[in-house]
Amino acid sequence: MSRAKALTIAALSALAATALQVPASAAGGGTSGADHWGVITRNTIGSPVAALREGPYGSFGVTGAAARPPFGTGSLGIEVADDSTSLTPPSEKVDFGNEVDFYGDPVLGLTQVGFRVFQTGENVTYGGDRNLPNIKFEINPNVAAHPGDTYSTLVWVPGPVTTTNRWSGYLDATTTGTWYLTGGETACTQAAPCTFAQVKASLNDGGAAPLIYTAAVGKGRDYLWAGAVDGLRINRNVYDFEAGGVRVRRA
């Protein structure tokens, strides 16, 4: 091999290596947060799966945009079982999220939230057309009625998804589905969930502002589910789940 050819190959290899190491802010058009995503271990029960993966593509016979991940080539695969632990209930739970980059952000500053999901007919059979992953924000609710309460989880439950075995369109959590707080801090409870506007209004009591601790996509503890999520949107950023990591894109 000539010296010139060897130098050319070396240069191309270096460029390829550099391309693979482009930070998320440059590769995805975003600003930060790509390195801090993963399974939140303290919120995990049983042996569930929440892993970055390629695909899913299909299902068989499905073509067009619904047959591939909405961003890139990968997604966040999630699997939970409904009867696999010795606890009560015996179902599993998993949260895949970020415990760093949203810390201290204002809850009332949330204006855009949502994702896309790969739902299957089997999941609907297991738990109905609202058997889907959630979006969760661990927060300090800072409500005057409960001054010593510094922890709650703000949960979005998607509305029905009846199109199965393919990728859904964007599920807008600010206009569809319902929200609740886990600690009963306001009237927006799991038994009496609220709209996005209502849950924000319930936390806006004129006192200290409610603050975010973490943000996550999660599933459990309820029904068996296996599928995938991609394109988690939080305000101006879209978090693109890829097999090699999380890319941050501008919405």
Side-chain angles (χ1 to χ4, degrees), residues 207-225:
L211 300 174
I212 296 173
Y213 293 137
T214 72
V217 174
K219 186 68 177 85
R221 305 171 68 193
D222 44 24
Y223 303 107
L224 177 69
W225 197 84

Side-chain angles (χ1 to χ4, degrees), residues 37-116:
W37 290 85
V39 173
I40 300 178
T41 52
R42 59 187 170 78
N43 289 346
T44 298
I45 297 172
S47 301
V49 173
L52 299 173
R53 54 159 294 177
E54 291 288 345
Y57 292 91
S59 299
F60 62 86
V62 178
T63 60
R68 58 181 182 269
F71 299 96
T73 62
S75 65
L76 172 65
I78 298 175
E79 298 175 14
V80 292
D82 61 347
D83 189 12
S84 64
T85 78
S86 59
L87 304 177
T88 302
S91 49
E92 294 180 337
K93 176 181 182 293
V94 68
D95 286 347
F96 184 96
N98 188 319
E99 300 185 80
V100 176
D101 296 299
F102 301 94
Y103 183 76
D105 286 354
V107 175
L108 301 182
L110 291 171
T111 58
Q112 297 294 331
V113 185
F115 60 38
R116 293 166 173 81

Side-chain angles (χ1 to χ4, degrees), residues 172-192:
D172 188 340
T174 69
T175 60
T176 64
T178 55
W179 292 81
Y180 67 88
L181 294 159
T182 59
E185 291 82 5
T186 76
C188 297
T189 64
Q190 189 169 8

